[in-house]
């Protein structure tokens, strides 16, 4: 396999699963990430994709790491003083390097849902750091859950990319897909499910989710790595 993409599904606060999965891959077969043609994502998955693309530790962008405020209130994410989108934007402004848009252009692929007609739009070119931030925040905007006024990119309003395409480029046979819920993704749990909006994970559960991501990625490398010309250690 000469050319491949990787794609991260949107998954709410469960994106800590990707921390484990990517830790395994970067430890065992880093070329799977560094050699990817496109790194794609929708909703919270696009934050992980962006972190990987521009070279930021993904721990900085896992949505679960931004949920502590919500856990302090009875209404959680629906508390009137909680703004997930504000938290995401603040994190992007703080963490993204000045040349993030240059690193991301042509490689990062972000799924958006156009508000006007519900059509999916994939964005891979970014003229500025601010434009990159706009695209990422648009992809993370889930109506009501994140507010009532969607953000805009190039003057057009968009909302959560997961609403129209939760796994960008999944239809291409050379795309390696990641998801923290069971299904047909290449790297995913083999059974079980989860609450997309749940934020009340204790440290033990978070470590378990992260560990499961690591083990699922290791299983993929051992069982299917040959299909992608990957050779992880068999220890």
């Amino acid at each position: 396999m000469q050319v491949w993409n990787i794609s991260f599904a949107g998954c709410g606060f469960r994106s800590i699963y990707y921390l484990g999965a990517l830790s395994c891959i970067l430890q065992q077969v880093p070329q799977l990430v560094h050699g990817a043609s496109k790194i794609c994502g929708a909703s919270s998955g696009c934050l992980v994709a962006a972190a990987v693309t521009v070279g930021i530790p993904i721990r900085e962008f896992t949505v679960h790491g931004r949920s502590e405020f919500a856990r302090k209130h009875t209404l959680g994410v629906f508390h009137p003083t909680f703004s997930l989108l504000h938290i995401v934007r603040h994190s992007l402004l703080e963490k993204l390097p000045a040349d993030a848009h240059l690193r991301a252009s042509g490689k990062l692929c972000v799924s958006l849902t156009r508000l006007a007609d519900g059509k999916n739009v994939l964005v891979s070119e970014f003229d500025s750091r601010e434009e990159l931030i706009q695209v990422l925040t648009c992809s993370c905007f889930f109506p009501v859950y994140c507010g009532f006024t969607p953000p805009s990119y190039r003057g057009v309003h968009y909302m959560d990319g997961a609403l129209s395409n939760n796994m960008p480029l999944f239809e291409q046979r050379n795309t390696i897909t990641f998801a923290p819920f069971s299904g047909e993704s290449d790297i995913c749990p083999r059974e079980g499910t989860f609450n997309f909006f749940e934020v009340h994970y204790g440290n033990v559960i978070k470590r378990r989710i992260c560990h499961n991501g690591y083990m699922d990625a290791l299983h993929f490398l051992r069982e299917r790595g040959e299909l992608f010309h990957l050779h992880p250690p068999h220890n």
Side-chain angles (χ1 to χ4, degrees), residues 82-161:
F82 179 79
S83 174
L84 179 60
L85 210 64
H86 174 77
I87 293 171
V88 168
R89 180 175 174 81
H90 176 77
S91 179
L92 292 169
L93 285 169
E94 181 182 20
K95 304 297 183 182
L96 287 178
D99 65 344
H101 59 294
L102 300 178
R103 302 187 198 184
S105 288
K107 187 160 189 175
L108 176 64
C109 179
V110 180
S111 174
L112 305 178
T113 301
R114 194 161 51 212
L115 179 65
D117 56 11
K119 298 294 185 182
N120 183 252
V121 176
L122 298 179
V123 181
S124 289
E125 298 294 334
F126 313 93
D127 290 341
S128 66
R129 178 174 177 269
E130 172 58 28
E131 190 170 274
L132 172 60
I133 292 173
Q134 290 176 9
V135 170
L136 295 172
T137 53
C138 281
S139 186
C140 291
F141 180 86
F142 198 92
V144 181
Y145 184 69
C146 289
F148 296 92
T149 304
S152 62
Y153 154 63
R154 294 186 178 178
V156 178
H157 291 286
Y158 293 92
M159 52 187 177
D160 200 309

Side-chain angles (χ1 to χ4, degrees), residues 24 32 58 69 72 76 79 90 98 113 121 125 143 171 182 186 188 192 198 202 210 217 232:
C24 173
L32 177 63
I58 64 168
F69 181 90
K72 297 176 183 178
H79 192 278
H90 176 77
T113 301
V121 176
E125 298 294 334
E171 71 282 358
S182 58
D186 295 305
C188 69
E198 181 61 69
C210 190

